[in-house]
Amino acid sequence: MKKALITGVTGQDGSYLAEWLLGKGYAVHGMVRRSSTETFERIGHIKDRLNLVQADLLDELSLIKALEEARPDEIYNLAAMSFVPTSWSQPVLTGEFTGIGVTRLLEAVRLVCPKARVYQASSSEMFGKVREVPQTELTPFHPRSPYGVAKAYGHFITVNYRESYGLFAVSGILFNHESPRRGKEFVTRKITDGVARIRAGLQDKLPMGNIEAKRDWGFAGDYVRAMWLMLQQPEPDDFVIATGENHSVREFLELAFARAGLHWEDHVVIDSALLRPAEVEHLLGDCAKARAKLGWKPEVDFPGLVRMMVDADLERYGVRSK
């Protein structure tokens, strides 16, 4: 039986990945931070099948102990301070978790289990002010937020440990991936939750920032398959994971409100306070390498993703789609 350790197991990606690995027959260890209020909502249905270990990316000794306990064959580092707007208000903490935290984990792996295979969650936010469209594994980075900068550090330190110490360490440069398990602070879930609340009569207006920004949106459940596939390859390598299509926030609004039988123009108000200090306008990924080498492709398309998320939120509020 293979053993895997997932940092960030209670997050969106962590929960889908844990399900996938359990389905593959893995013994799954999930790393959780010590907290006075534990949030296991996303993994509640599989929690009794997971081995939870307490550790923190800010504390290298705790990482060493977690690895000694789990002795994993595969390590998936999904933990991070991952909400981009917060990275401006907490830039140093973002750097500690999302950047330096990767180094602490890689050092712990080097010391405890150097034969383990490591997946690092990189991000399309590293491209930021894009140099070319679409973006590939060779597109230069120009991050436009403290989060993007920290992710770029995490990406390059992973490359450095691979090249310097021979670790099987890879980075998946994942473009935006969403699901009904997405946090409500993220724009897609903010929209679908807002739509459901409006249909349920709990609110009337939905404040938004830049609705012309375009993103390459996929389904998180599809993207965790790509993470696993990267660690099954004969040689470590980095991959862009994306749908190859991008859509504006406005398009997401149109589909989401229509799914609930509403017109988005009647409810959406633009709030300048929600605009980013430096916007990322046009993210579009080219996943040709992943398709060719991993045999991976997304299964859920953009309209299907919006429907899935709206329907799940409508169900939470006890109302049906139109």
Side-chain angles (χ1 to χ4, degrees):
M1 179 183 287
K2 274 190 173 182
K3 293 183 288 184
L5 174 69
I6 304 172
T7 75
V9 72
T10 59
Q12 170 190 252
D13 293 6
S15 66
Y16 281 109
L17 179 61
E19 285 177 348
W20 172 260
L21 293 174
L22 288 170
K24 289 285 184 184
Y26 280 66
V28 180
H29 296 256
M31 194 183 97
V32 294
R33 299 179 65 205
R34 174 71 181 90
S35 172
S36 57
T37 56
E38 295 179 328
T39 54
F40 297 130
E41 178 186 354
R42 295 184 182 95
I43 59 169
H45 61 298
I46 54 172
K47 185 169 177 282
D48 61 346
R49 300 171 62 194
L50 302 175
N51 303 295
L52 298 181
V53 294
Q54 285 191 357
D56 197 311
L57 289 179
L58 301 185
D59 181 358
E60 187 171 341
L61 182 58
S62 73
L63 297 173
I64 290 171
K65 289 181 176 178
L67 292 174
E68 287 175 340
E69 179 180 335
R71 291 290 170 180
D73 302 291
E74 298 173 4
I75 299 158
Y76 297 85
N77 184 34
L78 310 185
M81 202 306 293
S82 60
F83 186 48
V84 175
T86 300
S87 74
W88 275 285
S89 60
Q90 299 183 28
V92 176
L93 186 62
T94 299
E96 285 286 350
F97 270 121
T98 309
I100 303 299
V102 183
T103 312
R104 294 190 186 98
L105 179 61
L106 290 169
E107 266 295 286
V109 171
R110 188 174 71 85
L111 294 170
V112 177
C113 49
K115 298 299 182 183
R117 298 188 169 201
V118 182
Y119 171 85
Q120 164 61 17
S122 289
S123 168
S124 61
E125 287 286 331
M126 300 186 304
F127 295 121
K129 190 175 182 180
V130 298
R131 308 289 183 88
E132 61 183 6
V133 179
Q135 293 90 52
T136 73
E137 292 81 4
L138 300 178
T139 302
F141 298 149
H142 188 148
R144 298 268 279 172
S145 67
Y147 170 78
V149 171
K151 277 293 185 184
Y153 176 95
H155 178 87
F156 281 124
I157 200 68
T158 301
V159 172
N160 187 258
Y161 269 66
R162 179 170 72 217
E163 296 177 351
S164 300
Y165 300 115
L167 295 185
F168 192 110
V170 306
S171 287
I173 307 173
L174 270 57
F175 281 65
N176 292 64
H177 45 290
E178 318 296 320
S179 77
R181 300 179 193 174
R182 192 59 141 154
K184 293 179 184 178
E185 68 273 24
F186 292 88
V187 66
T188 51
R189 184 72 197 293
K190 174 184 173 179
I191 291 170
T192 61
D193 181 70
V195 165
R197 289 179 60 82
I198 290 169
R199 272 279 281 124
L202 299 175
Q203 69 185 62
D204 183 56
K205 299 299 181 184
L206 180 63
M208 296 293 298
N210 178 13
I211 66 172
E212 304 306 330
K214 291 186 175 182
R215 294 291 185 272
D216 185 327
W217 274 306
F219 171 50
D222 286 340
Y223 285 39
V224 300
R225 285 190 290 110
M227 300 176 187
W228 178 78
L229 284 167
M230 287 182 217
L231 293 193
Q232 312 315 308
Q233 301 307 301
E235 298 295 332
D237 203 354
D238 304 326
F239 293 88
V240 163
I241 304 299
T243 68
E245 298 179 9
N246 66 4
H247 300 272
S248 67
V249 176
R250 180 191 295 269
E251 290 176 78
F252 199 105
L253 286 165
E254 290 171 351
L255 286 175
F257 275 90
R259 182 68 175 170
L262 302 167
H263 296 288
W264 72 273
E265 298 97 331
D266 297 335
H267 303 281
V268 171
V269 292
I270 303 302
D271 182 352
S272 60
L274 297 176
L275 298 174
R276 293 185 181 186
E279 184 56 84
V280 175
E281 296 287 353
H282 197 176
L283 292 178
L284 176 63
D286 179 351
C287 63
K289 180 178 173 182
R291 286 175 180 265
K293 290 194 172 184
L294 303 179
W296 177 88
K297 63 179 180 179
E299 295 178 357
V300 178
D301 63 9
F302 179 67
L305 175 65
V306 178
R307 286 195 303 272
M308 177 197 303
M309 294 179 67
V310 172
D311 289 353
D313 276 326
L314 288 172
E315 185 177 337
R316 285 187 179 100
Y317 288 99
V319 292
R320 292 184 178 182
S321 60
K322 288 289 186 179

